[in-house]
Amino acid sequence: MMEKKDRAFLIVGASGGIGSACAEALGRAGFSLALHYGKGRDRAETLAARLSEEGIRSRLVSFDVTNAAECRVKLEADIAAHGAYWGIVHSAGITRDEAFPLMTEEDWFSVISTDLNSFYNVIQPCVMPMIHLRSGGRIIAISSVSGIAGNRGQANYSAAKAGLIGACRALAVELAKRRITVNAVAPGLIDTEMAKIPEEARSEILKSIPMKRLGRADEVASLVAFLASPGAEYITRQAISINGGMI
């Protein structure tokens, strides 16, 4: 049986608000970390330095999540050098909001490629090495309330995030006998850079949230850390909402 200190988590999108919070929570829980970034190298380096100050082991990995060939090469190289990942947090995502009649092909396909296709591009090369650890494992994808309920102006984002939930549920069935759990976490509006909106629009959105505030990235990370814990080893194939009561 692997000791927790020997278990590594790949954090996809570690330079983002939710991804970095997940890295901090999982590092403090005793896991070593592979911190992925695409374009946010400075933020990833700052995160790694902050983790190091706390005695948390981490390393940086960089690749374009929309490029399947690049993902495979970079991931296989990292696994060959450091061993398989026991867990993966898939937190890659972008938005390109627009009313559907005005949505361009670029708006649609860039979001689908980054938010949904990346799940295959990243997870697929990692699954067999994870199985070969013979120590169970965790796969956690960051979906969205938009993927559960839909959201005006987000047909592309809603489709991608709903697709993530479907992919997680199917993969969970395939991997259950290997003791690898697969779950989706579906945040509502979280106070990160990605959710920066005009104050007037924010006030309107708050009316739809019974708790009358935005969520925090560390609250999402706490849920992710729980799903990575021994207490969650019987939880799989779920889409767990964290949205202040929106739905």
Side-chain angles (χ1 to χ4, degrees):
M1 180 68 67
M2 294 178 68
E3 297 290 335
K4 180 179 283 190
K5 64 181 178 61
D6 298 319
R7 292 178 175 179
F9 252 89
L10 170 66
I11 313 295
V12 183
S15 60
I18 290 177
S20 62
C22 289
E24 292 177 356
L26 290 168
R28 290 166 185 158
F31 296 98
S32 64
L33 305 170
L35 306 174
H36 160 265
Y37 67 92
K39 298 178 181 178
R41 182 180 180 88
D42 290 347
R43 292 192 299 273
E45 289 179 339
T46 299
L47 172 61
R50 189 163 67 246
L51 293 170
S52 180
E53 290 175 357
E54 296 186 38
I56 298 169
R57 293 179 299 152
S58 70
R59 63 184 182 275
L60 300 182
V61 290
S62 179
F63 49 83
D64 177 0
V65 296
T66 69
N67 186 319
E70 182 180 339
C71 288
R72 183 171 298 277
V73 168
K74 293 292 184 70
L75 288 165
E76 288 180 348
D78 190 65
I79 291 170
H82 301 282
Y85 313 117
W86 184 82
I88 303 169
V89 174
H90 183 278
S91 185
I94 61 171
T95 56
R96 295 287 185 273
D97 295 354
E98 184 59 87
F100 191 72
L102 302 177
M103 188 173 288
T104 66
E105 289 183 10
E106 173 61 21
D107 291 336
W108 179 270
F109 287 108
S110 62
V111 170
I112 296 297
S113 183
T114 302
D115 295 26
L116 178 57
N117 292 348
S118 62
F119 182 85
Y120 173 86
N121 295 346
V122 172
I123 305 298
Q124 202 276 342
C126 301
V127 166
M128 285 309 301
M130 186 183 291
I131 289 172
H132 289 155
L133 288 175
R134 299 183 183 276
S135 188
R138 302 285 191 271
I139 296 172
I140 304 163
I142 305 300
S143 180
S144 169
V145 65
S146 186
I148 294 176
N151 195 30
R152 181 188 299 272
Q154 289 192 321
N156 48 2
Y157 188 70
S158 296
K161 293 300 188 178
L164 273 182
I165 292 171
C168 284
R169 286 180 166 156
L171 186 57
V173 176
E174 294 185 27
L175 297 180
K177 66 182 180 181
R178 309 286 188 175
R179 296 185 297 112
I180 298 171
T181 68
V182 188
N183 293 290
V185 170
L189 193 63
I190 306 300
D191 194 8
T192 64
E193 190 65 33
M194 190 172 172
K196 295 300 182 187
I197 53 178
E199 188 57 39
E200 182 178 340
R202 176 180 293 217
S203 298
E204 194 63 30
I205 288 173
L206 287 176
K207 295 177 183 178
S208 69
I209 305 174
M211 293 190 75
K212 302 304 178 187
R213 68 171 178 87
L214 304 187
R216 302 191 310 271
D218 67 281
E219 293 174 315
V220 179
S222 292
L223 174 55
V224 169
F226 169 69
L227 289 173
S229 73
E233 64 184 14
Y234 199 56
I235 300 173
T236 195
R237 206 183 182 188
Q238 303 305 303
I240 303 173
S241 296
I242 176 167
N243 59 40
M246 290 177 71
I247 58 171

